[in-house]
Amino acid sequence: MFSYIKGTLTYIGLNHVVIDVGGVGFKIYTSQCSINDVANLSDKTDVTFHTYLYIKEGIMDLYGFHTKEELELFEMLISVSGVGAKGAIAILSVAGYSKISVSIVTGDSKFLSQAQGIGSKTAQRICLELKDKIKNEALGMESNDGYEDAPVNVDARKEAISALMALGYSKQMSEKAVLKTDTSLDKVEDIIKAALKTLM
């Protein structure tokens, strides 16, 4: 119904903001990360929130985020069985988009379970169901892209590349950094750490 809402930021609450558009105040539930982003804006008269209208069993709430990436991750999270809008907001409030994406791709369910109301089983389900979605979205590739003949764990290296891209590095930079890592590394977390050292 609403793709985005753009107007004057008039109020910041614990879990929501109010955006005034032509004299109408829209209450938008959001994450702590988005709240922090807009709270630091010097100009609050032209603020955009990318929105999602959540309708379920008589509930009709408007959720929104300062970036499209956070909205897309929110939509992925609520597609997982057992994760409602409030649960997704709790997860997105633990850390930023990049950290959450990397946690899902690397299967770090322990990190996700830090979110209020998210148990270990739900966190594991999130990693299981969204791992490939986030990986494919970030990578956008079907071939091994340079790893066809390499005696390495191709899947782990692909996941490491997608994690680096989720952190904001370009596909080319991510691939080069991963190629420079020791081929004996076969754990995604170790490959990411090694690749980050070459990027910093």
Side-chain angles (χ1 to χ4, degrees):
M1 186 175 181
F2 301 108
S3 179
Y4 65 87
I5 289 177
K6 187 175 185 179
T8 301
L9 178 65
T10 60
Y11 179 79
I12 298 177
L14 292 175
N15 64 347
H16 70 278
V17 297
V18 176
I19 303 291
D20 182 285
V21 182
V24 178
F26 288 88
K27 183 178 183 180
I28 304 172
Y29 292 98
T30 189
S31 68
Q32 190 59 52
C33 292
S34 281
I35 286 176
N36 293 340
D37 286 346
V38 297
N40 294 324
L41 293 175
S42 56
D43 182 10
K44 295 181 173 61
T45 61
D46 196 23
V47 178
T48 300
F49 266 77
H50 304 277
T51 55
Y52 180 94
L53 185 60
Y54 187 79
I55 302 174
K56 185 178 181 182
E57 298 175 0
I59 298 173
M60 188 167 71
D61 291 328
L62 191 60
Y63 288 81
F65 305 91
H66 195 227
T67 65
K68 285 184 178 179
E69 289 79 13
E70 199 174 5
L71 171 63
E72 289 169 359
L73 187 51
F74 170 81
E75 291 176 332
M76 286 188 194
L77 287 168
I78 62 175
S79 72
V80 177
S81 176
V83 181
K86 290 183 179 179
I89 287 291
I91 292 170
L92 291 169
S93 293
V94 170
Y97 166 83
S98 296
K99 177 61 179 174
I100 297 299
S101 296
V102 170
S103 298
I104 293 172
V105 169
T106 59
D108 189 359
S109 59
K110 187 176 180 180
F111 180 81
L112 297 178
S113 62
Q114 293 180 56
Q116 186 175 1
I118 302 298
S120 59
K121 288 185 178 180
T122 301
Q124 289 170 10
R125 191 183 305 120
I126 290 170
C127 293
L128 182 65
E129 292 188 22
L130 300 184
K131 185 178 182 178
D132 288 337
K133 287 184 180 179
I134 291 177
K135 182 170 63 175
N136 291 337
E137 185 176 284
L139 285 171
M141 61 183 182
E142 297 179 358
S143 68
N144 289 339
D145 285 353
Y147 298 113
E148 289 87 346
D149 302 317
V152 297
N153 187 330
V154 174
D155 289 337
R157 290 181 175 266
K158 278 189 173 184
E159 288 181 25
I161 291 170
S162 67
L164 291 171
M165 290 173 68
L167 287 170
Y169 294 103
S170 69
K171 180 180 176 181
Q172 185 177 12
M173 288 177 66
S174 300
E175 288 177 345
K176 283 184 178 179
V178 169
L179 281 170
K180 289 179 182 177
T181 61
D182 191 330
T183 55
S184 65
L185 298 175
D186 58 3
K187 290 185 179 180
V188 177
E189 294 86 347
D190 294 336
I191 297 170
I192 292 171
K193 288 177 183 177
L196 283 172
K197 288 180 181 179
T198 69
L199 290 166
M200 292 178 178

